[in-house]
Amino acid sequence: MLKQLHARYDDPAAANDLLAQCRAQVVRWRWANESMGWETPFAREEQGGPASRWVADDKANPQRHVRHGLDAQDRVVLECWPNGCATAWLHAPGVHHSLSFFADGGINAAWEYREQDGRLLGLDLVDGKRGFNETYYWEGDRLQRKGIENWSQDGRTWWCQKVYHYNDAGQLDTIVLEYLDDEGCPGGPSRLQYQRPRPGETLATVTAEVERLLIEAIAAQLPRIPRGEPLYCLLLCFTDEDPASAWPPFLVWGRQPYRQEVLERGEDVRYYLWAPDEIRQGQGDAEEHWFDVPALTQACQRHSQYMEVRGSTASAQRVLKQVAAWLDAPQRRALLDTTDDFVVAVADNSGNIDPVPGLRRAIDPQHWALLKARGCV
């Protein structure tokens, strides 16, 4: 049924009619910081961010908050988002559908929530030619696991599950993601997605732990970087648009032959010399290193949770700056075969942030002048 709903309201005229019908059911309006139409179990633990809450009219900011239309039964039937998008909610016994539309009227996605006695049993999504189907397994009042079927009309279907563990007090302790084979059995590495903060743990303590463990991991990796062709840079890479996707940060190093090739080509030198993706594409994956030390990856997972709740990545930026300064010390350089103008820099792997301004601030004027004279910046 969900695919049929998506197809039906992909027609702009039908979409406009649906939104008009929902608007006609509204008997009062309320503001909220996020969608209040439905909240899945442990949504904040899995996705981070602030808790969903209603906002008083006199405190509402139309540029940030979501306007909700409620019907006579006090159910959300319409959401109006700051970017002009809208979400229509359709209610039936045990089933709720939401259809989200872009500002121009085109359909974005369709969702189906199935519940019994106030407990979510299934959640499906159709987003064009792809989507997922989630099944929730409960034991009493505790959610034990969530099975997920990920499908695409253009690719293969694959399965995974999230397993929920509780402490002795009955509180959620960890969420573990497990990849499943075609028969529904775990068949690959698992990944910790959430861990309850330990007593005495704060953003500051976790940040310090991430920095310490990252320095230890880098110190172990530096002597393993092959010598021979000298390095002109060592980049500590992160992803600005999605910090958790590359946290812990990873290393990419640029070698002199690659730099010489870029300089001789003479096209967008400033970009190709300092963009991690371009360096990796030009040199190959052997010139990078991702850290998989369990203690570090788990600390980074907890750190990501704190940053998402805080709504700020400032602590990650501080870690990057301090680790880069540690990495740039003479005793670390001595472990590498480098050019006379070798640079350590922090680089955004997504390309959203130009690393060169930060590079200029991080090195002394004489070093900058040398790179500029050689046409590297």
Side-chain angles (χ1 to χ4, degrees):
M1 176 180 179
L2 194 58
K3 291 182 180 180
Q4 287 81 1
L5 278 175
H6 188 283
R8 176 181 177 183
Y9 292 110
D10 193 27
D11 173 50
N16 288 333
D17 286 344
L18 175 64
L19 292 172
Q21 292 171 22
C22 291
R23 188 176 295 273
Q25 298 177 53
V26 173
V27 297
R28 67 174 178 135
W29 293 92
R30 293 189 70 181
W31 291 94
N33 65 329
E34 292 288 348
S35 170
M36 300 292 284
W38 191 273
E39 185 166 335
T40 57
F42 305 123
R44 193 180 185 196
E45 288 82 355
E46 292 192 27
Q47 302 168 11
S52 300
R53 59 181 176 81
W54 294 111
V55 177
D57 288 352
D58 60 347
K59 303 292 185 182
N61 182 345
Q63 302 302 316
R64 292 193 301 112
H65 295 146
V66 186
R67 195 172 184 229
H68 291 67
L70 285 74
D71 67 6
Q73 296 176 256
D74 217 31
R75 302 175 302 190
V76 174
V77 291
L78 184 64
E79 295 174 353
C80 302
W81 294 78
N83 59 3
C85 297
T87 301
W89 283 88
L90 310 177
H91 302 276
V95 181
H96 310 272
H97 290 102
S98 69
L99 297 102
S100 60
F101 300 94
F102 295 112
D104 63 4
I107 193 167
N108 178 17
W111 303 77
E112 178 176 287
Y113 301 78
R114 297 181 301 280
E115 64 167 336
Q116 184 177 22
D117 300 326
R119 187 173 298 162
L120 185 63
L121 301 180
L123 170 58
D124 299 340
L125 164 72
V126 173
D127 182 4
K129 295 183 178 182
R130 64 183 182 87
F132 61 72
N133 304 311
E134 296 183 346
T135 303
Y136 292 73
Y137 299 90
W138 299 80
E139 187 176 287
D141 292 333
R142 290 187 184 179
L143 177 63
Q144 299 299 310
R145 64 186 179 92
K146 175 172 65 177
I148 308 170
E149 177 190 37
N150 301 275
W151 59 268
S152 171
Q153 294 180 12
D154 300 325
R156 70 177 186 88
T157 297
W158 58 279
W159 293 265
C160 62
Q161 67 179 4
K162 293 184 179 181
V163 183
Y164 303 85
H165 300 281
Y166 300 83
N167 60 21
D168 293 339
Q171 301 166 314
L172 179 68
D173 190 57
T174 62
I175 302 175
V176 178
L177 173 67
E178 297 179 347
Y179 295 95
L180 307 178
D181 59 23
D182 292 347
E183 297 181 355
C185 300
S190 60
R191 181 158 59 92
L192 180 69
Q193 284 206 313
Y194 169 81
Q195 184 176 66
R196 188 177 187 83
R198 284 3 189 186
E201 186 175 87
T202 65
L203 174 60
T205 63
V206 176
T207 301
E209 183 181 8
V210 167
E211 182 177 332
R212 176 181 63 81
L213 292 171
L214 181 58
I215 285 176
E216 289 180 2
I218 293 176
Q221 177 59 28
L222 289 181
R224 300 172 184 158
I225 296 178
R227 302 176 69 89
E229 297 173 335
L231 310 183
Y232 74 88
C233 74
L234 180 60
L235 303 181
L236 184 62
C237 305
F238 72 108
T239 303
D240 176 67
E241 61 186 11
D242 183 13
S245 67
W247 201 248
F250 61 99
L251 296 176
V252 170
W253 47 89
R255 295 196 179 272
Q256 177 60 18
Y258 169 77
R259 178 167 71 167
Q260 190 60 37
E261 177 187 331
V262 172
L263 290 172
E264 290 175 357
R265 194 166 65 235
E267 298 177 2
D268 297 322
V269 170
R270 174 185 174 122
Y271 171 70
Y272 284 104
L273 286 187
W274 310 108
D277 269 355
E278 298 300 336
I279 295 174
R280 294 152 72 195
Q281 183 174 343
Q283 298 184 147
D285 293 342
E287 309 296 345
E288 66 176 351
H289 182 75
W290 292 72
F291 297 100
D292 58 2
V293 180
L296 174 59
T297 57
Q298 291 176 18
C300 286
Q301 173 62 38
R302 300 200 310 278
H303 187 211
S304 295
Q305 292 170 198
Y306 278 101
M307 289 191 292
E308 288 172 348
V309 171
R310 184 71 62 89
S312 170
T313 60
S315 60
Q317 299 297 331
R318 286 194 296 272
V319 169
L320 291 167
K321 181 179 180 180
Q322 291 171 191
V323 172
W326 170 87
L327 190 51
D328 200 29
Q331 57 266 45
R332 257 69 71 184
R333 289 178 178 236
L335 299 172
L336 304 170
D337 183 5
T338 65
T339 63
D340 63 348
D341 58 359
F342 172 76
V343 167
V344 171
V346 174
D348 170 28
N349 186 53
S350 65
N352 288 342
I353 299 177
D354 183 354
V356 175
L359 173 63
R360 184 172 188 176
R361 292 190 296 270
I363 64 177
D364 60 69
Q366 293 79 12
H367 196 165
W368 174 261
L370 180 60
L371 290 172
K372 190 172 182 64
R374 292 176 174 178
C376 297
V377 293

